[in-house]
Coordinates of all heavy atoms in Angstrom, one line a residue:
K1 N 193.9 -52.9 -54.0 CA 194.2 -51.8 -52.9 C 192.8 -51.4 -52.3 O 191.9 -51.2 -53.0 CB 194.7 -50.6 -53.6 CG 195.0 -49.5 -52.6 CD 195.8 -48.5 -53.2 CE 195.9 -47.2 -52.3 NZ 196.6 -47.4 -51.1
G2 N 192.6 -51.4 -51.1 CA 191.5 -51.0 -50.4 C 190.3 -52.0 -50.2 O 189.3 -51.6 -49.6
E3 N 190.6 -53.2 -50.5 CA 189.5 -54.3 -50.4 C 189.9 -55.2 -49.2 O 191.0 -55.4 -48.9 CB 189.3 -55.1 -51.7 CG 190.2 -56.0 -52.2 CD 189.9 -56.6 -53.5 OE1 188.8 -56.1 -54.1 OE2 190.5 -57.6 -53.8
V4 N 188.8 -55.9 -48.7 CA 189.0 -57.0 -47.8 C 188.7 -58.3 -48.6 O 187.6 -58.5 -49.2 CB 188.1 -56.8 -46.7 CG1 188.3 -58.0 -45.7 CG2 188.3 -55.6 -45.9
Y5 N 189.7 -59.2 -48.6 CA 189.6 -60.4 -49.5 C 189.4 -61.6 -48.5 O 190.5 -61.9 -47.6 CB 190.8 -60.6 -50.3 CG 190.6 -61.6 -51.4 CD1 190.4 -61.1 -52.8 CD2 190.5 -62.9 -51.3 CE1 190.3 -62.0 -53.9 CE2 190.4 -63.8 -52.3 CZ 190.3 -63.3 -53.7 OH 190.1 -64.2 -54.6
G6 N 188.5 -62.3 -48.6 CA 188.3 -63.5 -47.7 C 188.9 -64.8 -48.3 O 188.7 -65.0 -49.5
F7 N 189.6 -65.5 -47.5 CA 190.2 -66.8 -47.8 C 189.6 -67.9 -47.0 O 190.0 -68.0 -45.9 CB 191.8 -66.7 -47.7 CG 192.6 -67.6 -48.5 CD1 192.1 -68.1 -49.7 CD2 193.7 -68.1 -47.9 CE1 193.0 -69.0 -50.3 CE2 194.5 -68.9 -48.5 CZ 194.1 -69.5 -49.8
L8 N 188.7 -68.6 -47.5 CA 187.8 -69.4 -46.8 C 188.1 -70.9 -46.9 O 188.2 -71.4 -48.0 CB 186.3 -69.1 -47.1 CG 185.2 -69.8 -46.3 CD1 185.3 -69.3 -44.9 CD2 183.9 -69.3 -46.9
G9 N 188.2 -71.6 -45.7 CA 188.4 -73.0 -45.9 C 188.6 -73.6 -44.4 O 189.0 -72.8 -43.6
P10 N 188.5 -74.8 -44.3 CA 188.6 -75.5 -42.9 C 190.1 -75.6 -42.7 O 190.9 -75.4 -43.5 CB 187.9 -76.8 -43.2 CG 188.1 -77.2 -44.5 CD 188.0 -75.8 -45.2
N11 N 190.5 -76.0 -41.3 CA 191.8 -76.2 -41.0 C 192.4 -77.3 -41.9 O 191.7 -78.3 -42.1 CB 191.9 -76.6 -39.6 CG 191.5 -75.5 -38.6 OD1 191.6 -74.3 -39.0 ND2 191.1 -75.8 -37.4
G12 N 193.6 -77.1 -42.4 CA 194.4 -78.0 -43.3 C 194.0 -78.0 -44.7 O 194.6 -78.7 -45.5
A13 N 193.2 -76.9 -45.1 CA 192.9 -76.7 -46.5 C 194.0 -76.1 -47.3 O 194.1 -76.1 -48.6 CB 191.6 -75.9 -46.7
G14 N 194.8 -75.4 -46.7 CA 196.1 -74.7 -47.4 C 196.1 -73.2 -47.2 O 196.9 -72.5 -47.7
K15 N 195.2 -72.6 -46.3 CA 195.2 -71.2 -46.1 C 196.5 -70.8 -45.5 O 197.1 -69.8 -46.0 CB 194.0 -70.9 -45.1 CG 192.7 -71.2 -45.6 CD 191.6 -70.7 -44.7 CE 191.7 -71.0 -43.3 NZ 191.5 -72.4 -42.8
T16 N 196.9 -71.4 -44.4 CA 198.2 -70.9 -43.7 C 199.3 -71.1 -44.5 O 200.3 -70.3 -44.6 CB 198.4 -71.7 -42.4 OG1 197.3 -71.3 -41.5 CG2 199.7 -71.3 -41.7
T17 N 199.5 -72.3 -45.4 CA 200.5 -72.4 -46.3 C 200.7 -71.3 -47.3 O 201.8 -70.7 -47.5 CB 200.5 -73.7 -47.1 OG1 200.6 -74.8 -46.0 CG2 201.6 -73.9 -48.0
T18 N 199.5 -70.9 -47.8 CA 199.5 -69.8 -48.8 C 200.0 -68.5 -48.1 O 200.9 -67.7 -48.6 CB 198.1 -69.7 -49.3 OG1 197.6 -70.7 -50.0 CG2 198.0 -68.4 -50.3
I19 N 199.5 -68.2 -46.9 CA 199.9 -67.0 -46.2 C 201.4 -67.0 -45.9 O 202.1 -65.9 -45.9 CB 199.0 -66.8 -44.8 CG1 197.6 -66.3 -45.3 CG2 199.6 -65.9 -43.8 CD1 196.7 -66.3 -44.2
R20 N 201.9 -68.0 -45.4 CA 203.4 -68.1 -45.2 C 204.2 -67.8 -46.3 O 205.2 -67.1 -46.2 CB 203.7 -69.5 -44.6 CG 203.2 -69.8 -43.2 CD 203.6 -71.2 -42.7 NE 205.2 -71.3 -42.7 CZ 205.9 -70.8 -41.7 NH1 205.4 -70.2 -40.7 NH2 207.2 -71.0 -41.8
H21 N 203.6 -68.1 -47.6 CA 204.4 -67.6 -48.8 C 204.3 -66.3 -49.0 O 205.2 -65.5 -49.4 CB 204.0 -68.6 -50.0 CG 204.4 -69.9 -50.1 ND1 204.0 -71.0 -49.2 CD2 205.6 -70.4 -50.6 CE1 204.7 -72.1 -49.5 NE2 205.6 -71.8 -50.3
I22 N 203.0 -65.8 -48.9 CA 202.7 -64.3 -48.9 C 203.7 -63.5 -48.0 O 204.3 -62.4 -48.4 CB 201.3 -63.9 -48.6 CG1 200.4 -64.5 -49.9 CG2 201.2 -62.4 -48.6 CD1 198.9 -64.4 -49.5
M23 N 203.8 -64.0 -46.8 CA 204.7 -63.3 -45.8 C 206.2 -63.4 -46.1 O 207.0 -62.7 -45.5 CB 204.4 -63.9 -44.4 CG 203.0 -63.6 -43.9 SD 202.7 -61.7 -43.8 CE 204.0 -61.2 -42.6
G24 N 206.5 -64.3 -47.0 CA 207.9 -64.5 -47.3 C 208.7 -65.6 -46.4 O 209.9 -65.5 -46.4
F25 N 207.8 -66.3 -45.6 CA 208.4 -67.4 -44.7 C 208.8 -68.5 -45.4 O 209.6 -69.3 -44.8 CB 207.3 -67.7 -43.6 CG 207.0 -66.4 -42.8 CD1 205.8 -66.6 -42.1 CD2 207.7 -65.3 -42.6 CE1 205.4 -65.4 -41.3 CE2 207.3 -64.3 -41.9 CZ 206.2 -64.4 -41.2
S26 N 208.3 -68.8 -46.6 CA 208.6 -70.1 -47.3 C 208.8 -69.8 -48.7 O 208.2 -68.8 -49.3 CB 207.4 -71.0 -47.1 OG 207.6 -72.2 -47.6
R27 N 209.6 -70.6 -49.4 CA 209.9 -70.4 -50.7 C 209.1 -71.3 -51.6 O 209.0 -72.6 -51.3 CB 211.5 -70.7 -50.9 CG 211.8 -70.5 -52.5 CD 213.3 -70.6 -52.6 NE 213.9 -70.1 -53.8 CZ 215.2 -69.9 -54.1 NH1 216.0 -70.3 -53.1 NH2 215.6 -69.5 -55.3
P28 N 208.4 -70.8 -52.6 CA 207.4 -71.6 -53.4 C 208.4 -72.7 -54.3 O 209.4 -72.3 -54.7 CB 206.6 -70.6 -54.3 CG 207.6 -69.5 -54.3 CD 208.4 -69.4 -53.0
Q29 N 207.7 -73.8 -54.7 CA 208.3 -74.7 -55.5 C 208.0 -74.2 -57.0 O 208.8 -74.4 -57.8 CB 207.8 -76.1 -55.4 CG 208.2 -76.8 -54.2 CD 207.6 -78.2 -53.9 OE1 206.4 -78.4 -54.3 NE2 208.3 -79.0 -53.2
A30 N 206.8 -73.7 -57.1 CA 206.5 -73.0 -58.5 C 205.5 -71.9 -58.2 O 204.9 -71.7 -57.2 CB 205.8 -74.0 -59.4
G31 N 205.5 -71.0 -59.2 CA 204.7 -69.7 -59.0 C 205.4 -68.7 -58.1 O 206.7 -68.8 -57.8
R32 N 204.7 -67.8 -57.7 CA 205.3 -66.7 -56.8 C 204.2 -65.9 -56.1 O 203.0 -65.9 -56.5 CB 206.1 -65.7 -57.7 CG 205.3 -64.9 -58.8 CD 206.1 -63.9 -59.5 NE 205.4 -63.1 -60.5 CZ 205.8 -62.0 -61.0 NH1 207.0 -61.6 -60.8 NH2 205.1 -61.3 -61.8
T33 N 204.6 -65.2 -55.1 CA 203.8 -64.3 -54.3 C 204.4 -62.8 -54.3 O 205.6 -62.8 -54.1 CB 203.5 -64.7 -53.1 OG1 204.6 -64.9 -52.2 CG2 202.6 -66.0 -52.9
L34 N 203.6 -61.7 -54.4 CA 204.1 -60.5 -54.4 C 203.3 -59.6 -53.5 O 202.1 -59.8 -53.4 CB 204.2 -59.9 -55.7 CG 205.0 -60.6 -56.9 CD1 204.1 -61.5 -57.8 CD2 205.6 -59.6 -57.8
V35 N 204.0 -58.7 -52.8 CA 203.3 -57.6 -52.0 C 203.8 -56.3 -52.5 O 205.0 -56.0 -52.6 CB 203.6 -57.8 -50.6 CG1 202.9 -56.6 -49.7 CG2 203.1 -59.1 -50.1
N36 N 202.8 -55.5 -53.0 CA 203.1 -54.2 -53.6 C 204.2 -54.3 -54.8 O 205.2 -53.5 -54.8 CB 203.7 -53.2 -52.5 CG 202.5 -52.7 -51.7 OD1 201.4 -52.4 -52.0 ND2 202.9 -52.6 -50.3
G37 N 204.0 -55.3 -55.5 CA 204.9 -55.6 -56.6 C 206.2 -56.3 -56.3 O 207.0 -56.5 -57.3
L38 N 206.6 -56.5 -55.0 CA 207.7 -57.1 -54.7 C 207.6 -58.5 -54.3 O 206.7 -58.9 -53.6 CB 208.4 -56.4 -53.4 CG 208.7 -54.8 -53.6 CD1 209.1 -54.2 -52.4 CD2 209.7 -54.6 -54.7
S39 N 208.6 -59.3 -54.8 CA 208.6 -60.7 -54.4 C 208.7 -61.0 -52.9 O 209.5 -60.4 -52.3 CB 209.7 -61.5 -55.1 OG 209.9 -62.7 -54.6

């Protein structure tokens, strides 16, 4: 809470794929992402 977290890498490294899971646009094959404790 209250911090800025940098996710650094070139295009194609996996940044957008990770973000799409955080946003709930894509379902993970394994693991999970949560925002404010919610899947």
Side-chain angles (χ1 to χ4, degrees):
K1 181 176 175 59
E3 76 180 9
V4 182
Y5 199 107
F7 198 33
L8 186 61
N11 294 332
K15 303 189 305 298
T16 297
T17 298
T18 303
I19 283 176
R20 288 183 59 80
H21 284 81
I22 292 170
M23 294 301 301
F25 299 158
S26 185
R27 187 173 189 170
Q29 289 175 329
R32 61 178 185 167
T33 59
L34 301 96
V35 178
N36 287 319
L38 299 175
S39 166

